Amino acid sequence: MGSPFTFPPPTAPVPPPAPRPSAPKLPWIITATTIVVAAAVVTAVLLGSGKQSTATSTVPGGTESTDAPSVSADGSGVTVVQDDTNTFTVVLLDSFQTDTTPMSNDIGSFARVAGSADSSTLDITVLVAKADTVPAPADLVHLFDPGADVCTDRSTQSGYETINGAAEVLLIDGCGAGGDDSNVVMAIDMSAQQSVILIAAKGPGPSNTDLLDFAQAVGESVVIR
C-alpha cells in the first residue's frame, strides 16, 4: 500500500539562519497590579555563574562593592522601585542601594533609578525619556560607552527582542585594570508610550551571558506610568 503523503524531491541543504539573541533566562511575571521576578532564577544568574568578583568598584551614589547579592528561592528578595519624577517603576533586588533622582546632561533629561549591592561589583542604571527628546536608540547606546581607554572590546546587536519592545544593545568587554569587567548598554524603543528605556549594567564579564540576561530582565520589568 502506497504512502498517503507525497514528499518533495531532495534539495541541497539550506544553511541554518544566523543566531538570534536567546530568550531571557530571568522570567518575569507581569500582571495588571504586580511585577514579580522569579528570584530562584535570579540567584542562578547572579550567584551560580561563578563569576562574582572580589575587586571593589565605585557604583551609583559612591558606594564600593565586592560581592554578589543574595536572593531567596521563594520570590522574596526583590522590590518595586519608583523614580522621583513618578515616570516609571522597575524591579530590583531589595538589597540594592538605590538612587532615584533624575539626571540631565548634554544627551537629554532622564528619569532615573540606579541600583547596586553594597557587597558586589554589579550595578545597574535605568533611564527613561520621551523618545523625541533624546537621540535614536542606535545612537543613544554609543553615547553611554565609557570609551576605548576604559574598555577594549565592543560589539552591537540591533533588533534585540524584549517584552517591552525591540532594543539596540551595546556589549562592552575588557574593562578595568584586569580586563575582567564588562558593560551592557541597552536602549528599548517603547513606541506605544513614545518613550525610550536605557539600561546600563556593569559587572563581571563576558557581557553577552549573565550580565546581558540581567540587564534585559531589569529592562523588561520597567513600567512607564
Side-chain angles (χ1 to χ4, degrees), residues 129-131 137 164-166 188-197 224:
K130 285 299 182 183
N164 273 334
I188 304 174
D189 180 10
M190 292 193 68
S191 55
Q193 286 78 21
Q194 300 180 333
S195 298
V196 174
I197 303 170
I224 297 178

Side-chain angles (χ1 to χ4, degrees), residues 82-89 111-112 128-129 195 223-225:
Q82 179 176 293
D83 81 287
D84 286 355
T85 67
N86 198 31
T87 298
F88 73 98
T89 60
R112 176 179 64 160
V128 173
S195 298
V223 173
I224 297 178
R225 304 176 68 86

Side-chain angles (χ1 to χ4, degrees), residues 55-203:
T56 60
S57 64
T58 302
V59 292
T63 302
E64 287 194 345
S65 52
T66 54
D67 270 330
S70 60
V71 293
S72 65
D74 62 1
S76 61
V78 295
T79 188
V80 177
V81 183
Q82 179 176 293
D83 81 287
D84 286 355
T85 67
N86 198 31
T87 298
F88 73 98
T89 60
V90 62
V91 174
L92 293 177
L93 296 172
D94 62 11
S95 59
F96 273 12
Q97 296 185 0
T98 59
D99 182 351
T100 56
T101 58
M103 183 187 82
S104 294
N105 54 24
D106 294 340
I107 300 171
S109 296
F110 300 87
R112 176 179 64 160
V113 170
S116 64
D118 58 5
S119 59
S120 174
T121 57
L122 181 72
D123 64 74
I124 192 162
T125 299
V126 182
L127 305 173
V128 173
K130 285 299 182 183
D132 60 357
T133 66
V134 294
D139 299 320
L140 192 59
V141 291
H142 291 283
L143 295 173
F144 284 82
D145 187 334
D149 56 334
V150 178
C151 305
T152 58
D153 303 310
R154 53 201 25 84
S155 63
T156 57
Q157 294 185 20
S158 296
Y160 190 94
E161 296 178 3
T162 78
I163 291 173
N164 273 334
E168 295 289 329
V169 179
L170 176 62
L171 302 173
I172 307 172
D173 293 288
C175 307
D180 296 326
D181 294 328
S182 296
N183 290 268
V184 172
V185 186
M186 177 181 293
I188 304 174
D189 180 10
M190 292 193 68
S191 55
Q193 286 78 21
Q194 300 180 333
S195 298
V196 174
I197 303 170
L198 185 109
I199 303 101
K202 180 177 70 175

